[in-house]
Amino acid sequence: MFKALVVDKDEESGKTSAAVRDIGLDDLPGGEVTVAVEYSTVNYKDGLCIGPGGGLVRKYPHVPGIDFAGTVEDSSDDRYKPGDKVVLTGWRVGEAHWGGYAQKARVKADWLVPLPEGMDSRAAMAVGTAGLTAMLAVMALEDHGLEPGHGPVLVTGAAGGVGSVATAILARLGHEVAAVTGRPEQEEYLRGLGATQIVPREDLSEVTRKPLETELWAGCVDAVAGAMLGRVLKQMKYGTSVAAIGLAGGAAIEGALITPFILRGVNLLGIDSVMQPYDNRVRAWQRIARDLPMDKLEAMVQPATLSDLPGLGKDILKGQVKGRVVVDVNA
Ligand code: NDP
């Protein structure tokens, strides 16, 4: 038997509850590889899945945890053998398939990637889905011409998971980083990650009727959407791009007009980390190992255990988590 955070639903009341329970290997879903999980993390989607599911959970009882890192224990696939270090993000693990909030997980071999050289499983989860997404966003901006020296790159939701890692990567690559935050008390933290400018959230929260504003930003990693993305699009420099990764501030692009696209040739790039093919995931993890300053990672980490998860799930949905929560599932 081993420990897992199990979310169950009472059919009569429709209410869900989450508790640490003992489960066995026979309870795990099908898959070619069984992994002894070492670390997992808390992401926005995990917050939804620890609670009522938000339409993400297919079947109860459920084990959330959209990413994990650990050691292969058993494999019927030639690509992996016992003792291999692996990392998993995406593929609806932790939503449609049991995830990383357990001491063991069983998944398809196609969903795993080998841990990059020189990175341990704790560091891999300090990065996690949020960090992979941040890297994919930076790579997309680079593919569309962003280079250091073009001007400040804006990061919205900067004190959150994706924003923290994006700030650190962009600063390491030599970009000026303007970090947008609603938490002024996080200024020192964000400057420590490499932000050169702090933009208060309220400066970009108002929906305006202006078709365009002064050109300010050479690129943007946007975790927030909503009214803020509408404002940011109008402030992008000519021919630049916004990598949109999330909607912590709302699903609509409020107040947005077509003008930034037509009159300034701005690109809006959608970033999805969930269904990334194997080669892209390996390339992104290798870039993370190279371009993310590992000494900055520790400042982002809040350690947690399985029993902390019900509370942390609520916190992340309220936008109250700083950086990355790393869950030691064996603590
Ligand atoms: P976090 O909760 O860690 O960070 C989100 C940050 O956004 C908060 O810390 C806060 O930053 C800011 N924020 C929260 N609410 C609001 C609001 N109402 N208005 C403006 N800013 C707000 O989440 P993650 O960084 O893990 O994820 C961010 C988003 O990206 C989520 O929507 C998530 O679902 C999505 N996501 C998408 C992925 C993909 O593949 N595309 C992968 C991973 C996540 P601050 O306090 O600094 O203002």
Side-chain angles (χ1 to χ4, degrees), residues 56-79:
L56 298 173
V57 178
R58 288 262 174 83
K59 214 167 94 194
Y60 292 94
H62 177 68
V63 174
I66 67 165
D67 50 18
F68 63 78
T71 305
V72 171
E73 197 168 85
D74 186 38
S75 169
S76 61
D77 186 284
D78 289 346
R79 286 168 288 177

Side-chain angles (χ1 to χ4, degrees), residues 42-45 129-130 133 157-163 180-183 190 201 223-224 228 244-249 271-274 316 319 321 323-324:
V42 181
N43 299 274
Y44 196 83
K45 272 186 180 172
T129 299
T133 308
V162 180
V180 185
T181 185
R183 291 180 276 180
L190 290 166
R201 187 192 290 181
V224 167
M228 194 176 291
I245 67 94
L247 36 73
I271 306 298
D272 171 43
S273 66
V274 178
I316 198 156
V321 165
R324 302 281 300 133

Side-chain angles (χ1 to χ4, degrees), residues 90-107:
W91 302 100
R92 305 215 58 214
V93 170
E95 303 171 43
H97 188 97
W98 285 14
Y101 291 170
Q103 291 169 330
K104 293 184 201 295
R106 194 180 289 132
V107 292

Side-chain angles (χ1 to χ4, degrees), residues 180-199:
V180 185
T181 185
R183 291 180 276 180
E185 69 278 12
Q186 299 304 342
E187 171 161 357
E188 197 184 330
Y189 164 71
L190 290 166
R191 289 201 186 273
L193 297 181
T196 44
Q197 188 183 340
I198 306 296
V199 181

